Amino acid sequence: MRRTTTSWVAASVLGALILAGCASGDSDGESSDGASDAGGSEASSDESAPAAGGEFIDGAQMVAVPPHIDPLLTSELDGAQVATALYDGLTEFANEDTGPVLKPLVAESWEVNEDATEVVFTIKEGLTFADGSPLLPSNFKKSWDIAADPELAADYSYLYGLVDGYTEYAEGTATELTGVVADDEAMTLTVTLDQPYADFPSVASHIIFSPMPDARFELEDQSQWEKGPMIGNGPFTMETAQTDQEIIIVRNDEWAGDVYGNTSSTLDQVTFKIFSDVDSAYAAFEAGETQSSTIPGGVYATATSTYGNTSETKLLASYHWVYGMRDEDPLGGEANAKLRQAISLAIDRDGINDAVYDGSRAISTSITPPGIPGFEEALCEFCVTDMDAAKALLAEFQAEGGTVPEGIKLTFNAGAGHEDVAAIYQANLEELGVTVTQDPLSSETYFDTLRDGSCPGICRAGWFWDYPIYDNGMYDLFHVDSIGGNNLGFYDSEEFNTAVDTARATVDDEERQSLFREAENILLNVDTAVIPTNWYSGDQVYADNVEGYEQEALGWIRYETLVVN
C-alpha cells in the first residue's frame, strides 16, 4: 500500500523491480488464477523452519505518535505498518524474482470486463476476523462506505472517486457507494467504475480498501475505532489500545495466510516503541532496548558496517521537496516558473547524498523511480546541479521583471532527520542569491498543517508507492483531486490534470504509461512544481538475533515472518 507520504525521512520500502502494475492479465477480461505460488517460503510446512514464538521490539517505525493506525484513516508509512499487520485486503503484491506481482489475497480471484469499467472479486469462503466473526463481501461493502464517507475525512478517500456513485455519496445525495454491490450468498463483490480503469485490482491492494468486522459497524463515531484494540483479519490483532509510548500487536490465530503460503505468524507479539526523534530511536537500538532502528543522517557508514541492515535495497520511493504553488504563495504561480527552475538547478543533490546518507541513495531524475512501469531515465531537465545555469536563469527571470520574494520558508518536519538536508538547501540557495529561513514544524502535525494549505515556500515531502503503477505518483501527489490530501503544494494545472485523467482512462498499458510521462514532463519541466532530490534506499538496521528482516517493494516489513533467536 502507500505506502504513503511518510512522516519521517527514514521510512522504508523494498527495492525489487516491477514487471507490470496490474498483474494476472485481468484487463482483458480473464480471471486471475487465485494461486498463492509466489516465490516465498512456506514456514508452516517446512520442518526446518524455526518454532513460532517470541517478541520483536520495533524502534524503526515511530518517531512520533502516528496520526492514525486505522487502515481507513492512515496516510503515513509509520501508522500504515501497524495497519497492514492487522488487516488483509482483496489483493496483494508478492515479490517474485522478476519483481512484485499482483496476487489475490482475501479475494480468490477477480475478473475485469473488456472495457475495464467493472471488476468482480470472488471472496474466499470460510474466512474470519480475529474475533471469530465471518468475513463476507458485505464486510468490504460496509467498510468502503465508511471510508468514502466525507464525515470520516480520510486522506485517501479520493481513491473511491474511481467508483461509480462516489460523487453523489460525497455530496450527500446518496447514502452509499452505489457502484459497490456485495452478494454474500455468491461470495462476490462487484465494483462498477465511473470510467475505464484497468489498474483497479492494484489500487484495491491499498489498505483503505480493507474489510472491517461487524463490531465496527456498531460504532456511532467511526473515528473512534482506532482508539481501542482494533479487530483485524491479518496476521496480528490487538488486545490493548495504543498509548503514546507504544503500540502492541499479537498473533491472530484466525489468520488465513498470505500470498506466500505462510499461515501463522512466527512471532507472538510485536511492540512498536514510539520515540521523539530518529536520534533517540537509534540510541535506544544501540542500547539494546529495541531490535530495529532507522539510521540517522551522517552515521550510515558506521551503522551499516556494524549491524545487519537494509542499505543495499533500492526502494520504490521518492524524497523530494514541493513548492507552495498557489498564486498567493511566495514561489507559486505561472510567473515564478523560471525562479522555481533556477532553485532546482541550484540544489547540490550529490552533496546531500554524500553528507547526509553516505552516498547510499540514488540521485533522482524524476519523481517516478526506476521499477515503475513506464519509467524514463533523466526525464527532469532541472534535476541536475548546475549553479552557473541556475544563476543565469535567475538573472533571466529578473530581467523579465520577476523579483525574488522575501520571507521564503524552508519547511520540514522536525526531529525526523531532515535538518541536515535543509541546511544544504539553505546554503545552496544563499549562493544562488535566494534567501530562505528554516521553518521546522512538529512531526506529529506536519502533514496535516500542509494539507490545510500551509506550504509557505518550499516544503519537505516524500512518497512511498502504495502500489507499483505510474498513476500512484502522479494522481495521488499532484492532481487537483488530491488537494487537501497528498497534494501538499496545492498544485493545480489544467494541462497536467487533463493528461493524468486521460491516462487513467486508457486501457492500453503502453499508451497509458506514455500519457503519464507526458503529465510528469509538465510537472517537472513546464510548471516545475517539485524538486526531486533522491530515491530512497533501505535505511534500517536490525539486531543480530533477528532473522528475516527485509523491506518489500511497497514499504512493508513482514513482521509475521520474523524470527527472534
Side-chain angles (χ1 to χ4, degrees):
M1 96 132 239
R2 179 218 3 164
R3 335 317 137 298
T4 62
T5 303
T6 60
S7 63
W8 39 284
V9 66
S12 46
V13 192
L14 146 124
L17 298 182
I18 298 162
L19 280 184
C22 182
S24 302
D26 291 318
S27 61
D28 62 4
E30 295 181 3
S31 172
S32 69
D33 60 14
S36 297
D37 56 358
S41 61
E42 296 193 14
S44 59
S45 60
D46 185 351
E47 292 182 0
S48 64
E55 175 186 7
F56 179 80
I57 303 176
D58 183 279
Q61 309 305 329
M62 311 292 175
V63 293
V65 176
H68 298 290
I69 59 173
D70 182 348
L72 306 190
L73 284 169
T74 185
S75 60
E76 293 150 357
L77 190 58
D78 45 8
Q81 289 280 6
V82 178
T84 55
L86 298 175
Y87 292 91
D88 284 343
L90 291 165
T91 60
E92 182 179 19
F93 282 89
N95 294 294
E96 299 186 343
D97 292 340
T98 53
V101 176
L102 192 67
K103 295 284 185 177
L105 186 56
V106 174
E108 180 177 278
S109 62
W110 68 83
E111 187 172 339
V112 184
N113 67 354
E114 290 185 1
D115 66 354
T117 58
E118 182 182 271
V119 185
V120 179
F121 295 95
T122 299
I123 309 302
K124 293 176 182 176
E125 296 190 10
L127 303 185
T128 65
F129 291 92
D131 63 355
S133 60
L135 199 170
L136 302 169
S138 57
N139 291 101
F140 283 98
K141 160 67 175 172
K142 294 175 184 177
S143 176
W144 293 11
D145 283 344
I146 293 170
D149 190 336
E151 288 190 11
L152 189 66
D155 290 335
Y156 270 107
S157 62
Y158 61 81
L159 290 179
Y160 287 98
L162 295 164
V163 178
D164 191 42
Y166 170 77
T167 299
E168 293 79 5
Y169 187 42
E171 292 175 348
T173 59
T175 59
E176 63 175 343
L177 284 172
T178 55
V180 181
V181 177
D183 186 335
D184 288 349
E185 183 174 346
M187 291 299 286
T188 58
L189 185 74
T190 301
V191 183
T192 302
L193 305 175
D194 73 341
Q195 64 180 33
Y197 191 75
D199 283 326
F200 186 78
S202 295
V203 177
S205 68
H206 192 285
I207 57 173
I208 199 171
F209 293 96
S210 297
M212 290 291 140
D214 292 342
R216 177 161 191 166
F217 308 139
E218 299 171 2
L219 293 177
E220 292 185 9
D221 182 355
Q222 289 298 328
S223 68
Q224 296 302 301
W225 179 246
E226 65 185 356
K227 305 302 182 184
M230 294 190 295
I231 301 165
N233 66 313
F236 295 92
T237 190
M238 298 176 73
E239 293 181 346
T240 58
Q242 77 167 84
T243 70
D244 60 0
Q245 300 294 316
E246 63 185 17
I247 301 169
I248 298 174
I249 59 176
V250 298
R251 184 170 55 229
N252 172 21
D253 291 329
E254 299 293 324
W255 183 44
D258 61 17
V259 293
Y260 298 107
N262 301 302
T263 56
S264 179
S265 167
T266 54
L267 295 173
D268 295 319
Q269 177 174 306
V270 179
T271 299
F272 295 90
K273 292 293 185 181
I274 300 173
F275 296 92
S276 59
D277 53 55
V278 174
D279 290 332
S280 298
Y282 187 68
F285 169 76
E286 288 199 297
E289 298 170 10
T290 67
Q291 292 158 307
S292 65
S293 175
T294 290
I295 306 170
V299 300
Y300 275 70
T302 300
T304 56
S305 65
T306 305
Y307 306 108
N309 65 85
T310 62
S311 64
E312 296 300 317
T313 303
K314 302 303 178 186
L315 310 179
L316 295 175
S318 169
Y319 181 84
H320 54 269
W321 294 60
V322 298
Y323 295 102
M325 287 296 292
R326 299 172 301 180
D327 288 340
E328 62 266 30
D329 292 328
L331 298 172
E334 183 178 349
N336 286 323
K338 286 186 178 179
L339 175 57
R340 295 192 296 270
Q341 290 164 0
I343 289 173
S344 184
L345 285 169
I347 301 304
D348 185 1
R349 293 166 175 82
D350 286 313
I352 290 170
N353 193 30
D354 291 341
V356 182
Y357 309 112
D358 287 333
S360 64
R361 295 190 177 183
I363 304 303
S364 50
T365 59
S366 60
I367 292 298
T368 304
I372 297 296
F375 165 80
E376 181 178 308
E377 185 68 43
L379 183 62
C380 178
E381 299 172 13
F382 303 100
C383 293
V384 295
T385 302
D386 190 334
M387 187 61 73
D388 290 339
K391 289 180 177 179
L393 195 54
L394 178 61
E396 184 179 329
F397 166 75
Q398 292 172 320
E400 294 172 353
T403 58
V404 177
E406 297 180 357
I408 300 173
K409 292 184 177 180
L410 197 61
T411 303
F412 55 93
N413 40 323
H418 308 295
E419 284 79 1
D420 292 342
V421 178
I424 296 173
Y425 259 61
Q426 184 176 31
N428 294 156
L429 296 185
E430 290 288 349
E431 183 180 351
L432 174 64
V434 175
T435 300
V436 297
T437 303
Q438 291 190 35
D439 180 36
L441 302 179
S442 166
S443 284
E444 190 170 345
T445 58
Y446 176 73
F447 287 104
D448 288 338
T449 299
L450 265 58
R451 289 181 181 113
D452 288 339
S454 299
C455 179
I458 306 173
C459 299
R460 180 266 154 182
W463 188 249
F464 293 77
W465 263 246
D466 299 312
Y467 27 85
I469 60 175
Y470 217 125
D471 183 39
N472 187 228
M474 294 300 99
Y475 181 79
D476 289 62
L477 293 183
F478 302 109
H479 194 278
V480 63
D481 290 352
S482 303
I483 289 177
N486 293 314
N487 186 344
L488 302 177
F490 280 50
Y491 174 58
D492 183 4
S493 161
E494 182 177 355
E495 187 179 8
F496 174 87
N497 294 332
T498 299
V500 170
D501 289 340
T502 304
R504 301 182 95 217
T506 300
V507 175
D508 181 79
D509 289 345
E510 290 189 8
E511 184 181 355
R512 181 168 68 252
Q513 291 159 14
S514 176
L515 288 165
F516 275 124
R517 283 195 299 273
E518 290 180 18
E520 188 166 14
N521 178 67
I522 296 166
L523 169 76
L524 297 171
N525 301 320
V526 178
D527 297 328
T528 314
V530 60
I531 309 174
T533 306
N534 55 60
W535 289 308
Y536 282 90
S537 294
D539 52 9
Q540 296 182 12
V541 289
Y542 53 90
D544 292 340
N545 66 335
V546 176
E547 295 180 21
Y549 194 94
E550 298 177 358
Q551 296 171 279
E552 297 198 346
L554 301 175
W556 314 120
I557 303 297
R558 285 189 181 268
Y559 297 98
E560 62 269 26
T561 61
L562 295 187
V563 174
V564 177
N565 295 313

